[in-house]
Amino acid sequence: MADFDVVVIGAGPGGYVAAIRCAQLGLSTACIDEWKNAGKPSLGGTCLNVGCIPSKALLESSENFERVTHDFAAHGIGVDNARMDVTKMLARKDKIVSDFTLGIGQLFKKNKVTSLHGRAQLLGRDDDAWRIGVAGGEEVRAKHIIIATGSMPRALPQAPFDGARIVDNSGALSFTEVPKRLVIIGAGVIGLELGSVWRRLGAEVTLLEALPTFIPAADEQVAKEALRAFTKQGLKIHLGVQIDGVVQDADALKILWRDAQGVAQELVADKLIVAVGRIPNTQGFGAETVGLKLDGAGRIEVNEHCRTNLTNVYAVGDVVRGPMLAHKASEEGVMVAELIAGQAGHCDLNLVPGIMYTAPEIAWVGKTEQQLKTSGVDYRAGQFPFMANGRARALGETTGFVKILADAKTDRILGVHIIGPMASELIQQAVLALAFAASSEDLARTIHAHPSLSEAVHEAALAVDKRTIHI
């Protein structure tokens, strides 16, 4: 029986990062993971295998196709009879995934992390160590455990997955041909991103969302701008929907639903993606055996340092409170590794940026305007449109704006919201500003390169004090 200082369960963004950081800090570390891709062990969890990375690969391919067929003419570039080879697009996506999963294995070897494949099982505690079983009969011991088992797609009883015509996000990344009629239940991040991919390639896409508001986590003004943009692109989005059921015929699916007024409707589709959120993967590894405490949503209960109710057992990522985001999981993994090593680990959940890789991209960090109003916080707002930004004009991507919210008395930045080109990159400036308690004046007094998209952030900061230059 091998003994380790730390055993990490799960090799997704929270688990593999935690394992590497533990090893860097001199802790003997093993990482147990059961994921298989094409029948072979594959590190990286949902994010790398069927989530963040492959979806961004398809988003990029589909955006390039859209540029060729719709945007290049404005640049004087003529392209006739452009077509998309879906098989080649998927092969590129799979190659990117394979390269990165192999890369994590190499990082494990470089940092001397022991990689074990199989399902982990918490067996109990002997003296000062935990016993963990690995499918196949192997057993290891560890002084500390980090649980990073991630999440899984939430099923919808009215539309059970069949892996062929009714699929989750994983299945939606592997369509071998463009469906003529695609319906997506759920208009969140997954639904909008995947809907955008297949809409650009020629599918007629309809999204059915149960919530009465669009992207409720985002700033209301951003959400309204996004809804206009996506509708203009051709996505059909219905809010306040109730799904009654799905009827499968030999050639198609019939989705039975009710609109916001309760009127019965039906849609015919070739493929149906169910994207109604994700649930924590906390079943089947022995949580109940060892008394690991879960909350009402099935998440592992932890404190601000991701400690569970069990001695020397931590949990990070999608299995605990907070947003189900890869970068949040990774930072929690780093924090826990440093705490185990006796350092002052830290992860501020108030500074986790939210990002949607649609076109236009959407990104935010901190408080929304509606949250500040509800809390009665006195604030000032500054906004600047990409239409007035030189670089955005040159790119031909002028939809959207940057919005900065700052405390009316102290001028400390409270929230930043962006919809527009490269919002996922621009938001990092805002995260850094909030992390160091910057004021809007700090950003306004900082030199931004010209011409650059970042100037929109600069001008939004100037707008907080009503002194924009270029509008």
Side-chain angles (χ1 to χ4, degrees):
M1 186 187 299
D3 283 76
F4 296 93
D5 293 321
V6 182
V7 164
V8 181
I9 302 175
Y16 85 76
V17 169
I20 290 172
R21 186 65 184 125
C22 283
Q24 287 176 344
L25 292 166
L27 301 166
S28 61
T29 306
C31 184
I32 305 171
D33 187 78
E34 65 172 341
W35 196 287
K36 284 187 177 182
N37 203 344
K40 298 179 180 179
S42 185
L43 301 171
T46 293
C47 175
L48 183 46
N49 286 279
V50 294
C52 316
I53 301 305
S55 64
K56 302 311 163 285
L58 294 190
L59 281 161
E60 185 65 23
S61 294
S62 66
E63 283 186 40
N64 282 335
F65 184 70
E66 176 121 318
R67 292 183 187 109
V68 168
T69 54
H70 291 87
D71 302 334
F72 278 8
H75 295 268
I77 303 171
V79 181
D80 296 325
N81 302 317
R83 64 180 183 85
M84 172 58 75
D85 185 333
V86 174
T87 300
K88 195 166 186 178
M89 177 183 73
L90 294 180
R92 175 182 180 271
K93 177 258 296 181
D94 292 340
K95 177 68 163 53
I96 292 171
V97 169
S98 176
D99 286 347
F100 273 108
T101 56
L102 291 173
I104 295 174
Q106 291 168 354
L107 289 171
F108 276 2
K109 289 179 181 178
K110 173 186 173 183
N111 290 280
K112 297 181 174 58
V113 174
T114 298
S115 183
L116 302 172
H117 182 75
R119 189 170 186 80
Q121 190 75 21
L122 300 176
L123 300 177
R125 185 171 172 82
D126 289 340
D127 299 325
D128 62 344
W130 288 96
R131 291 169 46 236
I132 306 103
V134 185
E138 189 171 0
E139 190 174 313
V140 296
R141 286 162 46 97
K143 295 177 184 176
H144 304 269
I145 295 175
I146 303 174
I147 301 170
T149 47
S151 61
M152 63 184 75
R154 186 186 300 278
L156 193 65
Q158 305 96 306
F161 300 125
D162 64 12
R165 292 194 292 179
I166 304 177
V167 301
D168 58 13
N169 62 289
S170 176
L173 294 169
S174 302
F175 291 156
T176 54
E177 60 183 22
V178 180
K180 183 179 179 181
R181 299 160 298 184
L182 174 63
V183 172
I184 303 173
I185 300 177
V189 176
I190 295 173
L192 287 168
E193 289 186 0
L194 293 175
S196 295
V197 168
W198 296 108
R199 195 277 308 165
R200 293 178 193 130
L201 301 185
E204 180 183 304
V205 180
T206 304
L207 295 103
L208 304 176
E209 171 58 52
L211 295 175
T213 53
F214 187 60
I215 321 178
D219 185 88
E220 283 181 356
Q221 193 176 356
V222 168
K224 288 178 181 178
E225 180 79 359
L227 184 58
R228 281 194 294 269
F230 298 149
T231 301
K232 185 177 180 181
Q233 290 169 12
L235 291 176
K236 299 175 183 177
I237 302 170
H238 299 275
L239 304 174
V241 165
Q242 176 183 317
I243 304 298
D244 290 332
V246 177
V247 178
Q248 296 205 42
D249 294 331
D251 300 322
L253 301 167
K254 185 183 292 183
I255 296 92
L256 308 176
W257 57 287
R258 296 179 184 275
D259 62 22
Q261 287 71 46
V263 178
Q265 308 279 354
E266 66 177 53
L267 279 166
V268 177
D270 303 296
K271 298 282 187 179
L272 173 63
I273 302 173
V274 178
V276 292
R278 299 181 65 83
I279 57 175
N281 186 16
T282 51
Q283 301 301 311
F285 61 82
E288 63 286 345
T289 302
V290 296
L292 184 64
K293 193 172 183 181
L294 308 181
D295 66 15
R299 297 171 299 204
I300 298 172
E301 289 195 1
V302 293
N303 66 8
E304 70 275 15
H305 291 135
C306 289
R307 289 187 173 94
T308 73
N309 64 303
L310 301 178
T311 303
N312 292 343
V313 177
Y314 299 79
V316 302
D318 288 5
V319 289
V320 302
R321 77 288 178 268
M324 289 182 169
L325 297 170
H327 42 282
K328 174 259 195 184
S330 294
E331 289 307 311
E332 286 180 331
V334 170
M335 173 184 71
V336 168
E338 293 176 350
L339 289 170
I340 291 172
Q343 297 185 2
H346 174 73
C347 179
D348 188 346
L349 296 183
N350 295 310
L351 300 180
V352 178
I355 301 172
M356 300 181 72
Y357 294 88
T358 47
E361 290 187 349
I362 301 169
W364 66 87
V365 65
K367 300 295 184 182
T368 64
E369 192 162 3
Q370 56 264 34
Q371 287 173 330
L372 295 178
K373 287 178 179 178
T374 300
S375 301
V377 176
D378 191 12
Y379 67 93
R380 296 186 299 166
Q383 188 170 315
F384 190 81
F386 281 105
M387 181 64 77
N389 177 269
R391 184 70 192 280
R393 281 287 188 96
L395 290 170
E397 297 184 31
T398 55
T399 299
F401 54 85
V402 177
K403 180 178 184 179
I404 295 178
L405 306 170
D407 188 281
K409 297 184 179 65
T410 67
D411 194 39
R412 180 174 177 172
I413 298 173
L414 302 174
V416 178
H417 307 272
I418 307 174
I419 176 170
M422 302 305 289
S424 59
E425 303 296 331
L426 295 175
I427 199 64
Q428 301 310 136
Q429 181 180 181
V431 175
L432 190 63
L434 265 70
F436 286 90
S439 64
S440 70
E441 183 70 9
D442 290 329
L443 279 183
R445 294 289 178 183
T446 301
I447 297 173
H448 288 67
H450 175 78
S452 69
L453 295 172
S454 67
E455 287 179 289
V457 178
H458 182 223
E459 292 271 11
L462 289 167
V464 172
D465 194 41
K466 295 181 171 55
R467 63 178 203 267
T468 52
I469 301 297
H470 291 98
I471 195 171

